[in-house]
Amino acid sequence: MGNYHNDQPINGGSEDPDLLNRSDFANHLANILLLNHDDDCLTVSLEGEWGYGKTSVINLIKCALHEKESAPIIIEYNPWLAGRPESLIQDFLLQFSSQLNVQDNPSVASKAAKELIAYSKLFSVAKLIPGAEPWASIVENVLSTSGKATEQLAKLKELDLLGKKKQVVDAIKEVKNPIVVIIDDIDRLTPPETFQVLRLVKAVADFSGTSFLLAFDANYLTSVLDNNGIVNTSEYINKVVQLRVPLPVISERGMSELANVELERLSNKHLNDRFESDQDRLSWVYHKYFKHLIRNPRELKRFFNHLRFVLEQVEGQVCFTDLFSLSIISTKANSIYEHIKRVPEAYIGKRFSNDGLLIDKPKDVVESYNDERLKILQEFDDRDRYLLTGLLGSIFPLIKSDDITMYQVSEADADSAGRVSAPQRLHIAFHYKTPVGYISDQDILGFISGDIDRGSFLYRVTSEGAEERFFEMIMNYAKECRTNSFDILTCIYDTFLTSPKLIEQLKSNYGFISTELYSRMNWVTNAVITKSDDKFTLIKQLVNRLESAPLAADVLRKVRSQIYGETSSGEVWISKNQLKQLEVDYQHVAVKSLKEKRHTEHDFDSHIFYELWRSSKNKAAQFLSETLNNDDGIIRVAEIIGHSGRDSTNGPYSLIDETSFNGVFDIDTLREHARQVDIASQPIHIQATLNSILDGKKYYLRDGTEGERW
């Protein structure tokens, strides 16, 4: 058996058992169908909605009949093969004759088959009249095609309708075996075909010793009879069917057993382990929504087909509970599923792509689609509409619903929880793969563990323009970095700290708040340190690494703000004594980096220097004094101290006045050196700094223009 279901019923064998406990019911029904060979014909109906397992129960009945001591001849008729409603009766009789087989008395069976074939010829050219018995149809056909009265009488005499049927009845009695005729899927036929099946059972094939088992949806059958002009349809069905038997109700436990079997077949992995609280949340969704919306075996099979298809492609990239929930919606409310895929902003307040950027808050965007969502939901009954609305609310928290649980997460945490309320996760769930620029969870975990080459992976990240998603994912998995935190961070630094894209972003940024690569490296650094089991050792390693000097400066500044109460988070990574040790280490690294111009090309000299100044004014003053006394020392000093800050007007600026460096160096000495320089011959950013040294005003490094002091 393949992994995917093709809606085949169970056969009741050991490889395909009855999990809904219907075997006793089927055996009892088999006993009723098992007539004596001379009993009057009996018609039994097995009634139930589509998908509730009528064919599976029929297979259980057939198994029970085969085990009886006086096993009957089972005739299975498939009306689908008839082709045309007008040939359906003849086709039934021909199939009846072909399946009639008595092993211990083949001559008797052969005679009965011949009589059936002769009988079937009466219906070869019959024009069936709606509402009339087949006999009337045949008579009408003869009368309409014969001109003279004598010719008409000859034709009617030749038919000898009742005589032909009596010959069939007598021949079947000689068979001595009970016969069970099974006609399944009546509710899949067209209305004319359905009507003809009922007519043949009632008037054409009501042979003694023969029982009929008809399987159909009673609601569908009633509508068919109504369309054929039958008054009082219930009484009409009762004339054809002597015993109407509804399918046993499927218990909640039975459906749960089916679902558990399918869940076990999905994967040999623990599907809920990747994302926190996913197992508990799955249980919530299952008991509150799944078992009330997925109500029969056919829906359950369709549900697991969809879930398996998606899971095989995106397992581990979206939390299992959300994939499970989306499969419920796809199975039960495909119109909603398609709407989510087509208009994601109606559920998450954002689009998959950046074109046509939405400027409203996500919550306001989602609320603006309330009427559109409600219109789609109106096609469902009150019960299903209530359940679907709640399920949507559990997946997409911005939708108002009654589903408020402990498993909800904020918009900021949705991505790390693998929830489809995060645009990236929803994109993956609907595209069945990780799109270019998104990066999979497996890739990130491989990068963190070192199972894949980190350098090659980061090269792919930069070449695909996936930097933003990379940093988001590293933030999500910061706690997984504890074992290899230093190696992971330094690999990231070496890739991005000197990248052309970073320099371009730094130079083009005008505002105070930036989301460029450098800020993201800082966020990741802070997140990894926060999750580290040995924060001091990790920070010390970073501070002592020459290549990481700019980021080491940021780490020290954050630690200092933690210790001296400049932040409100309350978190303190290290002690004051440990900070003093780190400051000494940093002073050596900072001076070495500035002397060797390790980060000059990427405009980080000022960043490194100002942290040196905060760490030790004496060390900073000594270094500047030594630098100033070198050839062209004032140019190098301007390069080092020039980037004083940035604003939203024109970006980075230089502001060097008497109060800026009080106690670090003498501003008059700097001015004396600056006056000896041909300022106009220098690069713009050096010009800006030298002019600021001379007059104490604010100048932008981007274009050398004077800025307004705030």
Side-chain angles (χ1 to χ4, degrees):
M1 182 178 177
N3 289 330
Y4 288 90
H5 298 286
N6 61 355
D7 201 25
Q8 290 298 310
I10 66 166
N11 57 36
S14 58
E15 299 296 322
D16 195 12
D18 166 37
L19 298 179
L20 297 178
N21 299 312
R22 294 174 165 184
S23 296
D24 289 343
F25 168 83
N27 186 60
H28 182 64
L29 205 50
N31 289 333
I32 293 172
L33 293 168
L34 196 61
L35 305 177
N36 293 319
H37 73 281
D38 54 355
D39 286 343
D40 290 336
C41 180
L42 174 68
T43 302
V44 178
S45 64
L46 182 63
E47 302 178 16
E49 296 178 40
W50 287 358
Y52 276 79
K54 295 187 293 294
T55 305
S56 293
V57 171
I58 286 174
N59 286 344
L60 294 175
I61 292 171
K62 284 157 56 179
C63 288
L65 288 171
H66 285 307
E67 293 174 0
K68 301 300 179 184
E69 184 176 348
S70 55
I73 298 171
I74 298 176
I75 308 292
E76 295 188 71
Y77 176 54
N78 186 348
W80 282 18
L81 301 179
R84 296 179 302 162
E86 56 267 25
S87 64
L88 189 145
I89 293 176
Q90 183 187 36
D91 180 72
F92 166 75
L93 293 171
L94 290 173
Q95 286 197 39
F96 194 120
S97 65
S98 66
Q99 296 182 52
L100 199 60
N101 179 33
V102 183
Q103 292 183 352
D104 57 353
N105 199 344
S107 61
V108 172
S110 177
K111 179 181 177 182
K114 288 179 181 178
E115 294 295 344
L116 279 165
I117 292 172
Y119 184 42
S120 71
K121 291 179 180 179
L122 297 177
F123 303 92
S124 61
V125 292
K127 178 183 178 182
L128 299 174
I129 302 170
E133 296 297 347
W135 319 115
S137 297
I138 295 172
V139 171
E140 171 65 20
N141 185 63
V142 170
L143 292 175
S144 64
T145 56
S146 299
K148 298 178 181 179
T150 54
E151 186 176 350
Q152 291 172 355
L153 292 173
K155 288 284 185 182
L156 289 173
K157 185 176 180 181
E158 182 180 324
L159 289 174
D160 191 15
L161 301 171
L162 296 178
K164 290 286 186 183
K165 183 178 180 181
K166 186 177 184 305
Q167 291 174 10
V168 173
V169 171
D170 292 341
I172 288 178
K173 282 184 178 180
E174 293 298 319
V175 171
K176 303 294 185 184
N177 290 74
I179 298 172
V180 177
V181 180
I182 298 173
I183 307 180
D184 193 7
D185 293 331
I186 294 175
D187 46 15
R188 293 190 183 186
L189 299 173
T190 64
E193 291 170 334
T194 304
F195 192 58
Q196 296 313 320
V197 168
L198 294 181
R199 296 173 72 190
L200 76 86
V201 171
K202 175 63 177 175
V204 176
D206 52 339
F207 310 131
S208 59
T210 302
S211 61
F212 282 83
L213 178 61
L214 310 180
F216 54 77
D217 179 344
N219 292 328
Y220 177 79
L221 193 62
T222 298
S223 68
V224 167
L225 294 174
D226 286 337
N227 291 335
N228 277 272
I230 301 298
V231 180
N232 199 345
T233 54
S234 180
E235 284 301 316
Y236 186 91
I237 295 174
N238 290 338
K239 287 181 179 180
V240 177
V241 181
Q242 289 78 59
L243 175 62
R244 301 182 64 178
V245 180
L247 275 176
V249 174
I250 300 177
S251 68
E252 182 179 306
R253 180 175 179 178
M255 284 294 290
S256 294
E257 288 182 5
L258 291 179
N260 286 333
V261 168
E262 295 298 335
L263 281 170
E264 290 175 2
R265 290 175 178 171
L266 269 182
S267 175
N268 57 4
K269 304 173 185 176
H270 296 289
L271 297 171
N272 297 98
D273 289 352
R274 178 62 55 80
F275 300 101
E276 190 174 351
S277 300
D278 203 32
Q279 178 61 55
D280 292 338
R281 185 164 169 257
L282 176 65
S283 180
W284 168 267
V285 169
Y286 177 85
H287 288 289
K288 189 163 187 181
Y289 300 110
F290 175 86
K291 68 183 184 182
H292 300 297
L293 284 167
I294 306 299
R295 295 194 279 265
N296 63 61
R298 179 173 294 151
E299 287 181 344
L300 186 137
K301 291 176 181 178
R302 288 175 52 227
F303 165 82
F304 276 102
N305 278 346
H306 184 273
L307 180 59
R308 181 182 296 278
F309 176 77
V310 175
L311 195 65
E312 286 174 346
Q313 298 174 88
V314 301
E315 181 182 336
Q317 300 180 57
V318 179
C319 71
F320 179 71
T321 299
D322 277 6
L323 294 179
F324 188 90
S325 300
L326 286 174
S327 289
I328 297 174
I329 295 172
S330 174
T331 303
K332 197 69 182 181
N334 192 253
S335 56
I336 297 175
Y337 186 82
E338 290 298 322
H339 190 244
I340 299 170
K341 184 165 61 174
R342 190 176 67 256
V343 193
E345 59 266 32
Y347 299 85
I348 60 175
K350 298 177 182 178
R351 295 176 180 154
F352 290 145
S353 60
N354 291 324
D355 55 319
L357 206 59
L358 299 169
I359 60 175
D360 294 332
K361 293 180 180 179
K363 183 174 180 61
D364 294 336
V365 174
V366 170
E367 287 182 358
S368 71
Y369 282 92
N370 282 347
D371 290 343
E372 188 170 318
R373 287 194 307 273
L374 184 60
K375 184 177 180 181
I376 300 173
L377 286 164
Q378 288 301 320
E379 67 184 74
F380 303 97
D381 60 38
D382 291 344
R383 179 177 182 273
D384 282 359
R385 183 166 59 250
Y386 173 79
L387 290 167
L388 288 167
T389 302
L391 180 58
L392 286 171
S394 74
I395 309 171
F396 305 110
L398 294 181
I399 293 178
K400 290 181 180 179
S401 77
D402 294 333
D403 193 298
I404 301 176
T405 75
M406 68 182 74
Y407 307 114
Q408 298 284 24
V409 295
S410 66
E411 185 180 350
D413 295 331
D415 186 27
S416 60
R419 305 287 182 85
V420 294
S421 54
Q424 299 89 343
R425 304 292 181 174
L426 186 61
H427 193 292
I428 291 170
F430 278 121
H431 289 75
Y432 309 135
K433 65 178 181 179
T434 305
V436 174
Y438 274 63
I439 305 174
S440 73
D441 294 71
Q442 290 90 331
D443 285 343
I444 285 293
L445 290 171
F447 170 83
I448 290 171
S449 65
D451 291 341
I452 62 176
D453 183 83
R454 294 192 179 108
S456 299
F457 175 71
L458 290 180
Y459 175 79
R460 178 166 68 86
V461 167
T462 56
S463 63
E464 293 181 358
E467 294 92 345
E468 182 176 349
R469 185 57 179 160
F470 167 77
F471 282 107
E472 288 175 347
M473 296 291 280
I474 286 291
M475 291 287 287
N476 291 344
Y477 287 103
K479 67 180 180 180
E480 304 296 332
C481 298
R482 286 176 292 189
T483 304
N484 306 307
S485 53
F486 179 71
D487 292 339
I488 292 167
L489 288 176
T490 54
C491 183
I492 293 172
Y493 298 161
D494 291 346
T495 298
F496 296 108
L497 197 56
T498 59
S499 68
K501 186 175 289 187
L502 172 63
I503 305 308
E504 179 185 349
Q505 290 176 344
L506 288 172
K507 289 183 176 180
S508 64
N509 183 268
Y510 285 73
F512 293 109
I513 300 175
S514 170
T515 57
E516 26 78 348
L517 290 174
Y518 190 79
S519 296
R520 293 184 181 277
M521 279 192 281
N522 258 313
W523 298 340
V524 165
T525 301
N526 294 340
V528 171
I529 292 174
T530 299
K531 301 296 183 181
S532 174
D533 296 327
D534 188 352
K535 295 177 176 57
F536 175 70
T537 299
L538 175 57
I539 296 172
K540 186 175 180 64
Q541 287 177 307
L542 296 175
V543 167
N544 280 280
R545 187 173 187 263
L546 188 62
E547 296 82 358
S548 308
L551 287 150
D554 290 302
V555 171
L556 274 186
R557 189 171 185 179
K558 184 171 182 65
V559 168
R560 192 178 293 109
S561 69
Q562 289 176 346
I563 291 175
Y564 295 106
E566 296 175 23
T567 61
S568 58
S569 66
E571 181 183 30
V572 179
W573 288 342
I574 59 175
S575 67
K576 288 184 180 180
N577 288 334
Q578 289 173 328
L579 173 59
K580 291 179 181 179
Q581 296 178 46
L582 294 175
E583 286 181 325
V584 173
D585 292 343
Y586 178 76
Q587 291 159 19
H588 292 296
V589 169
V591 170
K592 184 175 177 62
S593 171
L594 293 170
K595 284 183 176 180
E596 296 179 359
K597 298 185 176 182
R598 283 293 186 105
H599 298 91
T600 301
E601 182 183 355
H602 300 90
D603 296 332
F604 283 118
D605 281 350
S606 295
H607 191 75
I608 295 169
F609 171 77
Y610 284 119
E611 186 54 40
L612 173 63
W613 176 38
R614 283 185 285 269
S615 175
S616 172
K617 289 183 172 58
N618 290 334
K619 288 281 186 182
Q622 180 183 348
F623 169 72
L624 278 184
S625 178
E626 292 175 358
T627 304
L628 191 61
N629 291 327
N630 294 330
D631 293 339
D632 293 327
I634 186 62
I635 304 301
R636 178 60 180 150
V637 168
E639 200 169 44
I640 291 172
I641 69 173
H643 192 155
S644 305
R646 68 171 64 231
D647 65 26
S648 58
T649 303
N650 199 15
Y653 62 79
S654 183
L655 177 57
I656 313 297
D657 58 16
E658 286 82 355
T659 60
S660 298
F661 296 94
N662 185 31
V664 179
F665 53 78
D666 180 32
I667 190 68
D668 291 332
T669 302
L670 282 180
R671 286 172 178 169
E672 183 180 340
H673 281 80
R675 291 189 188 100
Q676 300 174 19
V677 176
D678 180 8
I679 295 178
S681 66
Q682 300 299 320
I684 294 296
H685 69 289
I686 298 297
Q687 291 183 35
T689 303
L690 291 174
N691 285 330
S692 183
I693 291 173
L694 289 172
D695 61 19
K697 296 179 180 179
K698 176 180 178 180
Y699 291 89
Y700 288 107
L701 301 179
R702 191 188 309 278
D703 54 20
T705 59
E706 184 178 341
E708 186 177 347
R709 295 188 65 166
W710 302 95

